[in-house]
Amino acid sequence: MGYKVVIVGATGNVGREMLNILAEREFPVDEIAALASRRSLGTEVSFGDRTLKTQDLATFDFTGWDMALFAIGSDATKEYAPKAAGAGCVVIDNSSLYRYDPDVPLVVPEVNADAVLGYAKKNIIANPNCSTAQMVVALKPLHDRARIKRVVVSTYQSVSGAGKEGMDELWDQTKAVYNPVSDVPPSKFTKQIAFNVIPHIDVFMEDGSTKEEWKMVAETKKILDPKIKLTATCVRVPVFVGHSEALNIEFEEFLDEDEARDILREAPGIMVIDKREDGGYITPVECVGDFATYISRIRQDSTLDNGLNLWCVSDNLRKGAALNAVQIAEVLGQKALKKG
């Protein structure tokens, strides 16, 4: 027996990627439903070699379905996730709505897979923010070895993190730069994104940080260790897909860069590409479509007694969203539902 799986938001970037990854990883599916808003009703989406027509989320009955992977905004999730969960269907939610709820596990399977078992309180599991997900995959094996005290992270986040509108805006503005009669003013972003970088993701908070930066702090504490101090600067860059992060990590004890490299090479979900030569590192363009979180530029920080620097890159539509949700579904199946 396999699972009856629902994809909510199947016509969006992340929803389509969820369908692709379920097929690629040969997730044991008996039946699958693709849901979307009424305006997208009947839109065709691919699932392996099959074509699915989207059904109306507003009228769908979740009774008898095993799990629903949600890839819609927080407002719609607030309305429909409790309906699905109340009907006995376990919700794996990609929005930020439930991430900080103490009764909802926030899970990155390489880091805290056992937390999935806490799903039963609300029948909901939360997927973390894309920038957090790849970072904690890198931090976990190093934390197990030398205990992390503090992390300083600067992110270089692609426009796909802002959805299709963000990707369209970068595309249209880039073309407009070369066409003197065309003008594409900022709409999705606060300033021009083409040939520019914007140190602003999500809304500003009272202390001057943005909510994206706050998310990275709060989620790292919940997923990995509440004792870790973390400060973040999150920047949107003119890259279509793939988030990059420069990490400065301070440990409680000394960790040699060579040992760190060996630890990361053996860690689940990580690929180390770290040669000290031209091109001996990974960039976002090269990680698109891959499952792994890539680590490069591992080196000691000579300004700290116990410090390391590294570069972390991942496909944000995959590990940052759709892949992590499917991995949660796999763990949920293995540890709790036990079908398939």
Side-chain angles (χ1 to χ4, degrees):
M1 285 181 66
Y3 295 95
K4 295 180 68 177
V5 179
V6 183
I7 304 298
V8 182
T11 58
N13 286 344
V14 175
R16 289 177 187 272
E17 202 65 29
M18 285 173 171
L19 287 163
N20 290 338
I21 293 170
L22 285 167
E24 284 175 30
R25 292 173 74 92
E26 299 182 345
F27 187 84
V29 171
D30 259 5
E31 194 173 340
I32 191 160
L35 307 188
S37 62
R38 194 157 289 161
R39 70 177 183 271
S40 300
L41 196 63
T43 300
E44 293 187 342
V45 292
S46 297
F47 174 62
D49 56 3
R50 293 167 55 190
T51 299
L52 309 175
K53 281 196 174 181
T54 56
Q55 302 176 52
D56 186 5
L57 170 60
T59 58
F60 188 79
D61 183 2
F62 288 90
T63 304
W65 293 81
D66 295 304
M67 54 182 82
L69 280 62
F70 272 61
I72 53 178
S74 293
D75 289 344
T77 298
K78 189 173 185 178
E79 180 177 356
Y80 293 107
K83 292 180 180 178
C89 178
V90 182
V91 171
I92 300 170
D93 177 34
N94 197 61
S95 81
S96 61
L97 184 64
Y98 293 105
R99 290 176 189 160
Y100 317 107
D101 185 327
D103 291 333
V104 174
L106 180 64
V107 178
V108 175
E110 295 93 337
V111 179
N112 64 336
D114 288 343
V116 161
L117 296 173
Y119 80 93
K121 289 181 181 177
K122 288 193 173 178
N123 240 21
I124 297 171
I125 302 167
N127 213 24
N129 189 43
C130 47
S131 51
T132 306
Q134 69 186 69
M135 180 179 68
V136 295
V137 169
L139 294 180
K140 166 66 172 170
L142 301 177
H143 184 57
D144 286 347
R145 162 62 182 81
R147 311 308 293 174
I148 294 170
K149 289 172 62 177
R150 181 172 184 259
V151 178
V152 180
V153 55
S154 297
T155 72
Y156 307 77
Q157 295 178 226
S158 67
V159 294
S160 57
K164 183 179 182 297
E165 294 164 324
M167 298 178 80
D168 288 346
E169 189 158 313
L170 173 58
W171 176 249
D172 292 339
Q173 282 184 354
T174 301
K175 290 188 295 181
V177 168
Y178 294 101
N179 183 351
V181 299
S182 179
D183 181 37
V184 181
S187 173
K188 183 64 177 178
F189 302 113
T190 56
K191 298 203 177 194
Q192 176 183 312
I193 185 61
F195 302 95
N196 198 17
V197 298
I198 305 171
H200 174 195
I201 301 177
D202 213 323
V203 297
F204 274 97
M205 305 182 74
E206 284 187 9
D207 66 353
S209 62
T210 64
K211 194 167 183 185
E212 184 82 358
E213 292 155 358
W214 175 85
K215 287 174 188 175
M216 294 190 75
V217 176
E219 293 173 17
T220 300
K221 289 178 177 292
K222 183 171 179 178
I223 296 167
L224 187 54
D225 190 334
K227 295 177 183 176
I228 292 176
K229 295 179 179 180
L230 186 141
T231 182
T233 301
C234 293
V235 182
R236 190 71 73 189
V237 297
V239 170
F240 283 107
V241 179
H243 286 358
S244 306
E245 298 171 348
L247 292 165
N248 176 260
I249 311 164
E250 183 180 0
F251 298 91
E252 290 184 4
E253 58 185 272
F254 180 76
L255 178 58
D256 178 76
E257 63 188 39
D258 292 327
E259 184 182 355
R261 197 173 288 108
D262 290 341
I263 289 169
L264 290 167
R265 281 200 177 106
E266 297 299 318
I270 289 175
M271 287 284 289
V272 175
I273 307 293
D274 189 21
K275 296 179 180 178
R276 294 178 176 179
E277 60 188 43
D278 293 353
Y281 41 79
I282 285 287
T283 60
V285 167
E286 298 157 285
C287 79
V288 175
D290 284 356
F291 290 141
T293 294
Y294 287 90
I295 306 296
S296 306
R297 302 292 320 280
I298 303 165
R299 61 207 189 277
Q300 288 327 136
D301 177 359
S302 61
T303 69
L304 290 172
D305 289 337
N306 303 317
L308 282 178
N309 291 303
L310 57 84
W311 175 250
C312 175
V313 181
S314 190
D315 181 331
N316 55 295
L317 298 179
R318 291 206 152 206
K319 186 55 194 169
L323 171 61
N324 202 73
V326 172
Q327 288 177 302
I328 290 172
E330 291 169 347
V331 174
L332 177 68
Q334 293 158 7
K335 291 182 177 287
L337 304 185
K338 297 183 179 177
K339 292 166 70 173

